[in-house]
Amino acid sequence: MNPPVRAFVAFGANLGDPVAAFALALQRLDALPSTRILARSALYRSAPVGVLGQPDYINAVIELSTSLDARVLLEALLLIEREGGRTRDFHMAPRTMDLDLLLHGEAIIDEPDLQVPHPRMHLRAFTLVPLAEIAPGLHIPRRGAVSDLLAGVADQAISRH
């Protein structure tokens, strides 16, 4: 079995009941083998990025301790999304639950369907602000300290839900 690593997962939802979806995500993540939740941020409200005419998102970040490798964890996230009613009708479609693997220890993975660190996490207030809440001293490989990256997203509206 792999030694445990700190992994960070972003949650987002803008359809249905995002608060209930977040509770379901937490329950399912905590039930994964060799995995436990270390921390979770508050819920935040943010406008969709890159699309118009969609409801605001409710976002959060969850910190895990897990011995699952990144690919197995990603597959688990996709299953949890489907259980939460996620469909992929079109690119950037609104969703009942979105779970993105942001970080998996210090791993740098660049595969067609798995990129860690998440390639756009440093550009989005809805990931950096909740991440800074639970892990302010965190360093994102190839990007820098979360606290230093916040200035780059200061123009993006985000508020506690």
Side-chain angles (χ1 to χ4, degrees):
M1 180 170 292
N2 299 325
V5 299
R6 288 172 69 199
F8 292 86
V9 174
F11 166 88
N14 70 340
L15 289 180
D17 183 345
V19 175
F22 185 58
L24 175 65
L26 290 171
Q27 180 184 32
R28 295 300 184 258
L29 288 168
D30 205 37
L32 290 175
S34 305
T35 301
R36 65 185 172 94
I37 294 174
L38 297 178
R40 66 183 188 113
S41 74
L43 294 173
Y44 290 85
R45 178 179 298 278
S46 66
V49 173
V51 294
L52 299 173
Q54 289 188 14
D56 285 351
Y57 273 87
I58 300 301
N59 300 100
V61 171
I62 305 153
E63 179 183 2
L64 304 173
S65 171
T66 186
S67 295
L68 299 177
D69 72 26
R71 171 125 344 249
V72 172
L73 182 55
L74 175 64
E75 291 302 320
L77 297 179
L78 295 173
L79 284 172
I80 294 167
E81 283 182 350
R82 285 195 292 278
E83 182 182 348
R86 171 79 187 263
T87 59
R88 296 178 184 271
D89 301 328
F90 56 89
H91 182 63
M92 303 293 283
R95 54 207 69 168
T96 56
M97 184 187 300
D98 186 29
L99 296 171
D100 288 334
L101 182 56
L102 300 176
L103 296 165
H104 190 271
E106 294 294 317
I108 298 172
I109 304 167
D110 189 7
E111 298 173 4
D113 60 345
L114 176 60
Q115 295 176 311
V116 177
H118 188 285
R120 293 170 300 285
M121 68 181 285
H122 66 289
L123 303 173
R124 297 173 170 168
F126 65 80
T127 55
L128 289 178
V129 171
L131 189 59
E133 176 192 333
I134 62 173
L138 189 67
H139 181 270
I140 300 171
R142 296 186 174 163
R143 296 293 178 198
V146 169
S147 57
D148 293 340
L149 295 168
L150 286 170
V153 299
D155 61 333
Q156 297 175 27
I158 185 169
S159 60
R160 277 187 180 241
H161 177 64

